[in-house]
């Protein structure tokens, strides 16, 4: 088995572990939803009449159980899709421009023991990681995103602070949060048609400390001063 195939399998195992965590979270939320429906509707049935009604409580608990099961079955439809499929698609798209030799070298470096790994939580609290080798940076996320940077193609690196908005769930309520993120922008040497363009690749971090840590690792590995 060649290095590229081994590396692809390793990446697939990583993202499928994210899938398993997502599935476990959905099952936990579904179970809590069922219990909550049973308890709330049972309490309503108990206290609905002028006197305490056990039969009303039992009837509403049954209704709550049925309602909770139905909602829990529909719940996964509104959750974030499993990231494994889009991640593997983006991985293959992101490496198909490389020559077979470069793909083998990329895989060999990613499989070696000389890899710096930085794991962190993104601004929306999803898992994210940066892998650094001698010639490459890989940014992969639990949302299925894949960013690959080849240092030999980079002409300039810049840092910036940007505003972002994302949605979080608090006590069952969707809340839009506005926050600042810290980015590293990579600009490649080749400029198409001589026109100025935006960054070729961007890595986003939740805080300055994590961004500066990754930038320091890049500077330690790459001899060229960008």
């Amino acid at each position: 088995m060649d290095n590229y195939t081994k590396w692809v399998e390793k990446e697939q195992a990583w993202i499928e572990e994210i899938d398993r965590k997502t599935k476990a979270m959905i099952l936990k939320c579904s179970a809590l939803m069922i219990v909550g429906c049973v308890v709330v509707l049972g309490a309503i049935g108990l206290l609905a009449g002028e006197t305490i009604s056990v039969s009303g409580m039992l009837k509403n608990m049954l209704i709550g159980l049925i309602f909770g099961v139905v909602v829990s079955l529909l719940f996964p439809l509104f959750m974030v899709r499993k990231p494994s499929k889009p991640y593997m698609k983006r991985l293959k798209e992101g490496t198909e421009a490389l020559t077979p030799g470069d793909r083998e070298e990329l895989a060999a470096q990613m499989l070696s023991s000389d890899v710096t790994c930085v794991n962190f939580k993104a601004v929306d609290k999803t898992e994210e990681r940066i892998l650094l080798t001698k010639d490459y940076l890989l940014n992969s996320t639990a949302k299925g995103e894949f960013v690959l940077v080849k240092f030999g193609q980079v002409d300039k690196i810049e840092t910036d602070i940007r505003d972002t908005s994302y949605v979080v769930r608090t006590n069952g309520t969707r809340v839009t949060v506005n926050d600042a993120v810290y980015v590293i922008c990579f600009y490649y040497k080749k400029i198409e048609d001589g026109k100025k363009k935006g960054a070729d690749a961007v890595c986003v971090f939740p805080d300055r400390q994590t961004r500066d840590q990754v930038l320091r690792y890049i500077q330690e590995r790459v001899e060229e001063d960008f």
Side-chain angles (χ1 to χ4, degrees):
M1 186 183 297
D2 58 29
N3 287 326
Y4 182 73
T5 302
K6 292 179 182 177
W7 174 62
V8 169
E9 290 181 351
K10 183 178 180 181
E11 288 300 297
Q12 187 163 5
W14 177 79
I15 198 65
E16 285 180 350
E17 177 61 24
I18 301 295
D19 279 350
R20 283 190 285 272
K21 291 180 180 179
T22 301
K23 183 178 179 180
M25 179 191 68
I26 291 174
L27 291 175
K28 180 179 179 181
C29 291
S30 297
L32 291 175
M33 190 176 300
I34 292 172
V35 172
C37 289
V38 171
V39 171
V40 171
L41 291 181
I44 293 174
L46 180 65
L47 302 175
E50 296 180 356
T51 59
I52 295 178
S53 172
V54 176
S55 61
M57 178 188 70
L58 295 176
K59 179 181 177 180
N60 273 32
M61 286 180 69
L62 179 59
I63 295 173
L65 177 62
I66 295 172
F67 179 76
V69 169
V70 171
V71 172
S72 66
L73 292 174
L74 296 175
F75 184 64
L77 298 177
F78 300 95
M79 296 295 293
V80 177
R81 300 290 183 182
K82 294 195 302 182
S84 57
K85 187 174 181 179
Y87 181 76
M88 297 310 297
K89 180 181 178 181
R90 289 165 182 162
L91 183 151
K92 291 174 182 177
E93 290 175 348
T95 57
E96 66 181 6
L98 301 175
T99 65
D102 282 344
R103 282 198 293 269
E104 278 295 293
E105 180 59 27
L106 163 66
Q109 290 188 28
M110 289 293 173
L111 291 171
S112 73
S113 58
D114 187 27
V115 178
T116 301
C117 180
V118 180
N119 295 296
F120 57 95
K121 296 286 187 180
V123 289
D124 59 358
K125 307 306 178 185
T126 56
E127 293 185 43
E128 194 162 343
R129 69 173 183 177
I130 295 284
L131 297 178
L132 286 159
T133 70
K134 178 173 65 72
D135 297 313
Y136 294 94
L137 176 147
L138 171 61
N139 181 197
S140 46
T141 78
K143 293 180 289 188
E145 296 169 357
F146 175 92
V147 177
L148 180 67
V149 177
K150 185 177 181 180
F151 294 132
Q153 296 177 327
V154 176
D155 178 56
K156 181 174 62 173
I157 296 177
E158 292 182 348
T159 59
D160 197 4
I161 304 175
R162 300 178 181 177
D163 293 327
T164 188
S165 297
Y166 56 95
V167 176
V168 296
R169 292 180 178 274
T170 303
N171 296 326
T173 304
R174 292 168 61 89
V175 178
T176 300
V177 178
N178 297 312
D179 205 347
V181 292
Y182 299 79
V183 302
I184 300 178
C185 302
F186 299 89
Y187 297 85
Y188 292 160
K189 295 175 182 178
K190 182 179 178 181
I191 300 179
E192 297 178 0
D193 302 324
K195 297 178 182 178
K196 184 178 180 180
K197 58 180 180 177
D200 294 278
V202 178
C203 296
V204 181
F205 303 91
D207 55 72
R208 185 190 299 271
Q209 181 180 359
T210 304
R211 184 200 65 186
D212 291 350
Q213 179 187 24
V214 171
L215 188 62
R216 186 169 63 253
Y217 287 148
I218 293 173
Q219 293 168 341
E220 290 173 354
R221 286 183 172 273
V222 182
E223 295 180 358
E224 184 175 355
D225 185 16
F226 295 107

